[in-house]
Short mmCIF file of all heavy atoms in Angstrom, two decimals:
data_model
loop_
_atom_site.label_atom_id
_atom_site.label_comp_id
_atom_site.label_asym_id
_atom_site.label_seq_id
_atom_site.Cartn_x
_atom_site.Cartn_y
_atom_site.Cartn_z
N LEU A 232 -0.37 8.52 -0.26
CA LEU A 232 0.02 9.66 -1.10
C LEU A 232 -0.15 11.04 -0.40
O LEU A 232 -1.05 11.22 0.31
CB LEU A 232 -0.83 9.62 -2.44
CG LEU A 232 -0.72 10.82 -3.40
CD1 LEU A 232 0.66 10.71 -4.10
CD2 LEU A 232 -1.73 10.82 -4.36
N ASP A 233 0.83 11.88 -0.67
CA ASP A 233 0.74 13.31 -0.23
C ASP A 233 1.00 14.15 -1.46
O ASP A 233 2.05 14.48 -1.79
CB ASP A 233 1.77 13.57 0.89
CG ASP A 233 1.83 14.96 1.33
OD1 ASP A 233 0.85 15.69 1.01
OD2 ASP A 233 2.67 15.38 2.04
N THR A 234 -0.13 14.50 -2.07
CA THR A 234 -0.01 15.36 -3.24
C THR A 234 -0.39 16.78 -2.94
O THR A 234 -0.33 17.60 -3.89
CB THR A 234 -0.98 14.80 -4.42
OG1 THR A 234 -2.38 14.76 -3.87
CG2 THR A 234 -0.57 13.40 -4.78
N GLU A 235 -0.78 17.10 -1.74
CA GLU A 235 -1.26 18.44 -1.46
C GLU A 235 -0.23 19.51 -1.79
O GLU A 235 -0.53 20.52 -2.22
CB GLU A 235 -1.68 18.48 -0.03
CG GLU A 235 -2.15 19.85 0.45
CD GLU A 235 -2.52 19.92 1.92
OE1 GLU A 235 -2.38 18.87 2.52
OE2 GLU A 235 -2.91 20.99 2.36
N HIS A 236 1.09 19.14 -1.51
CA HIS A 236 2.13 20.10 -1.66
C HIS A 236 2.86 19.91 -3.02
O HIS A 236 3.79 20.64 -3.19
CB HIS A 236 3.20 19.93 -0.56
CG HIS A 236 2.61 19.97 0.87
ND1 HIS A 236 2.82 19.01 1.77
CD2 HIS A 236 1.57 20.84 1.35
CE1 HIS A 236 2.09 19.31 2.89
NE2 HIS A 236 1.35 20.36 2.60
N LEU A 237 2.52 18.92 -3.86
CA LEU A 237 3.35 18.55 -4.96
C LEU A 237 3.36 19.58 -6.00
O LEU A 237 4.32 20.18 -6.43
CB LEU A 237 2.97 17.21 -5.46
CG LEU A 237 3.84 16.68 -6.64
CD1 LEU A 237 5.33 16.55 -6.21
CD2 LEU A 237 3.38 15.27 -6.95
N TRP A 238 2.15 19.85 -6.68
CA TRP A 238 2.13 20.61 -7.85
C TRP A 238 2.45 22.06 -7.66
O TRP A 238 3.09 22.62 -8.54
CB TRP A 238 0.70 20.43 -8.45
CG TRP A 238 0.62 19.13 -9.15
CD1 TRP A 238 -0.22 18.06 -8.71
CD2 TRP A 238 1.29 18.64 -10.21
NE1 TRP A 238 -0.06 16.93 -9.46
CE2 TRP A 238 0.87 17.25 -10.43
CE3 TRP A 238 2.22 19.12 -11.11
CZ2 TRP A 238 1.28 16.43 -11.43
CZ3 TRP A 238 2.67 18.26 -12.12
CH2 TRP A 238 2.30 17.04 -12.32
N PRO A 239 2.12 22.68 -6.48
CA PRO A 239 2.49 24.07 -6.33
C PRO A 239 4.00 24.29 -6.40
O PRO A 239 4.47 25.29 -6.81
CB PRO A 239 1.87 24.45 -4.97
CG PRO A 239 0.71 23.49 -4.85
CD PRO A 239 1.11 22.29 -5.49
N VAL A 240 4.72 23.27 -6.04
CA VAL A 240 6.18 23.42 -5.94
C VAL A 240 6.70 23.05 -7.24
O VAL A 240 7.82 23.49 -7.71
CB VAL A 240 6.74 22.64 -4.78
CG1 VAL A 240 8.28 22.86 -4.70
CG2 VAL A 240 6.10 23.10 -3.53
N LEU A 241 6.09 22.12 -8.01
CA LEU A 241 6.60 21.61 -9.24
C LEU A 241 6.64 22.79 -10.29
O LEU A 241 7.52 22.70 -11.17
CB LEU A 241 5.76 20.49 -9.82
CG LEU A 241 6.00 19.03 -9.16
CD1 LEU A 241 5.08 18.10 -9.88
CD2 LEU A 241 7.43 18.71 -9.24
N SER A 242 5.77 23.71 -10.26
CA SER A 242 5.69 24.81 -11.23
C SER A 242 7.07 25.48 -11.33
O SER A 242 7.60 25.55 -12.32
CB SER A 242 4.54 25.70 -10.95
OG SER A 242 3.40 24.95 -11.01
N PRO A 243 7.57 26.09 -10.24
CA PRO A 243 8.83 26.72 -10.38
C PRO A 243 10.03 25.77 -10.55
O PRO A 243 11.00 26.15 -11.26
CB PRO A 243 9.10 27.37 -8.91
CG PRO A 243 8.20 26.62 -8.02
CD PRO A 243 6.96 26.20 -8.85
N VAL A 244 9.94 24.49 -10.13
CA VAL A 244 10.99 23.53 -10.40
C VAL A 244 11.08 23.28 -11.87
O VAL A 244 12.07 23.10 -12.49
CB VAL A 244 10.78 22.29 -9.62
CG1 VAL A 244 11.76 21.21 -9.99
CG2 VAL A 244 10.87 22.62 -8.10
N LYS A 245 9.97 23.15 -12.59
CA LYS A 245 9.87 22.86 -13.96
C LYS A 245 10.70 23.84 -14.75
O LYS A 245 11.29 23.61 -15.85
CB LYS A 245 8.48 22.79 -14.46
CG LYS A 245 7.71 21.55 -14.10
CD LYS A 245 6.47 21.30 -14.80
CE LYS A 245 5.40 22.36 -14.37
NZ LYS A 245 4.12 22.10 -14.94
N LEU A 252 11.17 17.92 -15.65
CA LEU A 252 9.86 17.79 -15.18
C LEU A 252 8.82 18.35 -16.16
O LEU A 252 7.66 18.06 -15.98
CB LEU A 252 9.82 18.60 -13.84
CG LEU A 252 10.71 18.02 -12.80
CD1 LEU A 252 10.69 18.86 -11.55
CD2 LEU A 252 10.08 16.63 -12.40
N ILE A 255 6.66 15.65 -17.83
CA ILE A 255 5.43 15.04 -17.19
C ILE A 255 4.20 15.50 -17.96
O ILE A 255 3.85 16.71 -17.86
CB ILE A 255 5.39 15.37 -15.68
CG1 ILE A 255 6.70 14.82 -15.00
CG2 ILE A 255 4.10 14.72 -15.11
CD1 ILE A 255 6.78 15.12 -13.53
N PRO A 256 3.47 14.68 -18.56
CA PRO A 256 2.37 15.14 -19.39
C PRO A 256 1.11 15.16 -18.75
O PRO A 256 1.01 14.92 -17.48
CB PRO A 256 2.28 13.99 -20.44
CG PRO A 256 2.79 12.81 -19.74
CD PRO A 256 3.69 13.29 -18.74
N ARG A 257 -0.01 15.46 -19.44
CA ARG A 257 -1.34 15.49 -18.81
C ARG A 257 -1.69 14.11 -18.18
O ARG A 257 -2.43 14.13 -17.22
CB ARG A 257 -2.31 15.79 -19.83
CG ARG A 257 -2.30 17.24 -20.37
CD ARG A 257 -3.40 17.48 -21.32
NE ARG A 257 -3.02 18.42 -22.33
CZ ARG A 257 -3.85 18.74 -23.30
NH1 ARG A 257 -5.06 18.17 -23.44
NH2 ARG A 257 -3.38 19.55 -24.25
N PHE A 258 -1.15 13.11 -18.75
CA PHE A 258 -1.38 11.77 -18.18
C PHE A 258 -1.03 11.72 -16.70
O PHE A 258 -1.74 11.23 -15.87
CB PHE A 258 -0.57 10.75 -18.93
CG PHE A 258 -0.49 9.37 -18.26
CD1 PHE A 258 -1.56 8.58 -18.27
CD2 PHE A 258 0.65 9.00 -17.72
CE1 PHE A 258 -1.59 7.33 -17.61
CE2 PHE A 258 0.73 7.77 -16.98
CZ PHE A 258 -0.43 6.91 -17.06
N MET A 259 0.15 12.32 -16.31
CA MET A 259 0.55 12.33 -14.95
C MET A 259 -0.34 13.10 -14.13
O MET A 259 -0.72 12.77 -12.96
CB MET A 259 1.98 12.82 -14.80
CG MET A 259 3.06 11.88 -15.47
SD MET A 259 3.19 10.42 -14.51
CE MET A 259 4.04 11.08 -13.06
N ARG A 260 -0.77 14.27 -14.63
CA ARG A 260 -1.72 15.11 -13.92
C ARG A 260 -3.06 14.35 -13.69
O ARG A 260 -3.58 14.48 -12.58
CB ARG A 260 -1.99 16.43 -14.62
CG ARG A 260 -0.82 17.38 -14.72
CD ARG A 260 -1.19 18.60 -15.40
NE ARG A 260 -0.12 19.65 -15.33
CZ ARG A 260 0.00 20.52 -14.44
NH1 ARG A 260 -0.94 20.65 -13.44
NH2 ARG A 260 0.95 21.42 -14.41
N PHE A 261 -3.39 13.55 -14.69
CA PHE A 261 -4.66 12.77 -14.58
C PHE A 261 -4.44 11.79 -13.47
O PHE A 261 -5.33 11.47 -12.67
CB PHE A 261 -4.94 12.09 -15.94
CG PHE A 261 -6.04 11.08 -15.78
CD1 PHE A 261 -7.35 11.43 -15.59
CD2 PHE A 261 -5.81 9.72 -15.92
CE1 PHE A 261 -8.39 10.56 -15.49
CE2 PHE A 261 -6.77 8.79 -15.89
CZ PHE A 261 -8.05 9.19 -15.63
N VAL A 262 -3.34 11.07 -13.48
CA VAL A 262 -3.03 10.12 -12.43
C VAL A 262 -3.15 10.68 -11.06
O VAL A 262 -3.75 10.17 -10.14
CB VAL A 262 -1.62 9.46 -12.62
CG1 VAL A 262 -1.26 8.60 -11.46
CG2 VAL A 262 -1.63 8.51 -13.90
N PHE A 263 -2.49 11.86 -10.89
CA PHE A 263 -2.47 12.52 -9.55
C PHE A 263 -3.83 12.99 -9.14
O PHE A 263 -4.23 13.01 -8.00
CB PHE A 263 -1.46 13.62 -9.49
CG PHE A 263 0.01 13.14 -9.41
CD1 PHE A 263 0.83 13.32 -10.42
CD2 PHE A 263 0.29 12.43 -8.25
CE1 PHE A 263 2.18 12.88 -10.20
CE2 PHE A 263 1.65 11.92 -8.18
CZ PHE A 263 2.60 12.15 -9.21
N SER A 264 -4.63 13.49 -10.17
CA SER A 264 -6.02 13.96 -9.83
C SER A 264 -6.81 12.75 -9.40
O SER A 264 -7.67 12.92 -8.51
CB SER A 264 -6.60 14.61 -11.09
OG SER A 264 -6.84 13.69 -12.13
N MET A 266 -5.65 10.18 -7.76
CA MET A 266 -5.21 9.92 -6.37
C MET A 266 -5.85 10.88 -5.42
O MET A 266 -6.35 10.45 -4.32
CB MET A 266 -3.77 9.98 -6.36
CG MET A 266 -3.02 8.99 -7.20
SD MET A 266 -1.30 9.26 -7.27
CE MET A 266 -0.68 8.05 -8.34
N ARG A 267 -5.91 12.13 -5.81
CA ARG A 267 -6.46 13.12 -4.86
C ARG A 267 -7.91 12.86 -4.60
O ARG A 267 -8.51 13.01 -3.51
CB ARG A 267 -6.29 14.54 -5.44
CG ARG A 267 -6.95 15.63 -4.64
CD ARG A 267 -6.76 17.00 -5.32
NE ARG A 267 -5.34 17.38 -5.41
CZ ARG A 267 -4.84 18.05 -4.41
NH1 ARG A 267 -5.47 18.29 -3.27
NH2 ARG A 267 -3.56 18.43 -4.53
N ASN A 294 10.60 13.23 -9.50
CA ASN A 294 10.33 13.54 -8.11
C ASN A 294 9.09 12.83 -7.67
O ASN A 294 8.12 12.82 -8.39
CB ASN A 294 10.17 15.09 -7.91
CG ASN A 294 9.82 15.40 -6.58
OD1 ASN A 294 10.66 15.55 -5.66
ND2 ASN A 294 8.55 15.62 -6.23
N SER A 296 6.75 13.03 -4.34
CA SER A 296 6.39 13.51 -3.05
C SER A 296 5.39 12.58 -2.45
O SER A 296 4.26 12.97 -2.03
CB SER A 296 5.89 14.96 -3.09
OG SER A 296 6.89 15.89 -3.33
N GLY A 389 4.99 28.85 -2.76
CA GLY A 389 4.79 28.20 -3.98
C GLY A 389 3.62 28.61 -4.64
O GLY A 389 2.69 29.24 -3.95
N SER A 390 3.33 28.33 -5.91
CA SER A 390 2.14 28.76 -6.58
C SER A 390 0.96 27.82 -6.24
O SER A 390 1.11 26.67 -6.08
CB SER A 390 2.31 28.75 -8.11
OG SER A 390 2.69 27.49 -8.51
N LYS A 391 -0.25 28.42 -6.20
CA LYS A 391 -1.43 27.67 -6.02
C LYS A 391 -1.76 26.93 -7.48
O LYS A 391 -1.21 27.33 -8.44
CB LYS A 391 -2.67 28.55 -5.75
CG LYS A 391 -2.53 29.13 -4.28
CD LYS A 391 -3.82 29.96 -4.00
CE LYS A 391 -3.74 30.52 -2.53
NZ LYS A 391 -4.92 31.32 -2.26
N ILE A 392 -2.54 25.92 -7.31
CA ILE A 392 -2.98 25.25 -8.56
C ILE A 392 -3.83 26.13 -9.46
O ILE A 392 -3.66 26.17 -10.67
CB ILE A 392 -3.87 24.01 -8.23
CG1 ILE A 392 -2.84 22.99 -7.50
CG2 ILE A 392 -4.35 23.26 -9.48
CD1 ILE A 392 -3.62 21.68 -7.14
N LYS A 397 0.97 30.52 -2.08
CA LYS A 397 0.60 30.06 -0.73
C LYS A 397 1.81 29.51 -0.12
O LYS A 397 2.75 29.01 -0.76
CB LYS A 397 -0.57 29.21 -0.68
CG LYS A 397 -0.35 27.79 -1.31
CD LYS A 397 -1.59 26.89 -1.07
CE LYS A 397 -1.38 25.53 -1.66
NZ LYS A 397 -2.61 24.73 -1.37
N LEU A 399 3.65 26.59 2.10
CA LEU A 399 3.57 25.14 2.30
C LEU A 399 4.61 24.65 3.09
O LEU A 399 5.75 25.08 3.14
CB LEU A 399 3.70 24.52 0.80
CG LEU A 399 2.58 24.98 -0.23
CD1 LEU A 399 3.05 24.47 -1.55
CD2 LEU A 399 1.27 24.37 0.09
N SER A 403 7.28 16.84 1.39
CA SER A 403 6.79 16.84 0.00
C SER A 403 7.15 18.24 -0.72
O SER A 403 7.15 18.15 -1.91
CB SER A 403 5.22 16.62 0.01
OG SER A 403 4.83 15.49 0.54
N PRO A 407 10.85 18.35 -4.01
CA PRO A 407 11.02 19.06 -5.28
C PRO A 407 12.07 20.09 -5.29
O PRO A 407 12.59 20.39 -6.38
CB PRO A 407 9.59 19.71 -5.45
CG PRO A 407 8.70 18.88 -4.61
CD PRO A 407 9.53 18.49 -3.49
#
Side-chain angles (χ1 to χ4, degrees):
L232 174 68
D233 176 11
T234 58
E235 179 181 358
H236 309 131
L237 180 59
W238 288 109
V240 182
L241 282 184
S242 298
V244 172
K245 284 192 291 185
L252 295 173
I255 300 179
R257 291 185 214 174
F258 167 74
M259 293 290 288
R260 288 181 177 268
F261 170 69
V262 169
F263 283 117
S264 66
M266 296 172 183
R267 179 183 290 276
N294 177 78
S296 289
S390 60
K391 292 182 179 179
I392 294 180
K397 67 175 181 178
L399 300 166
S403 298

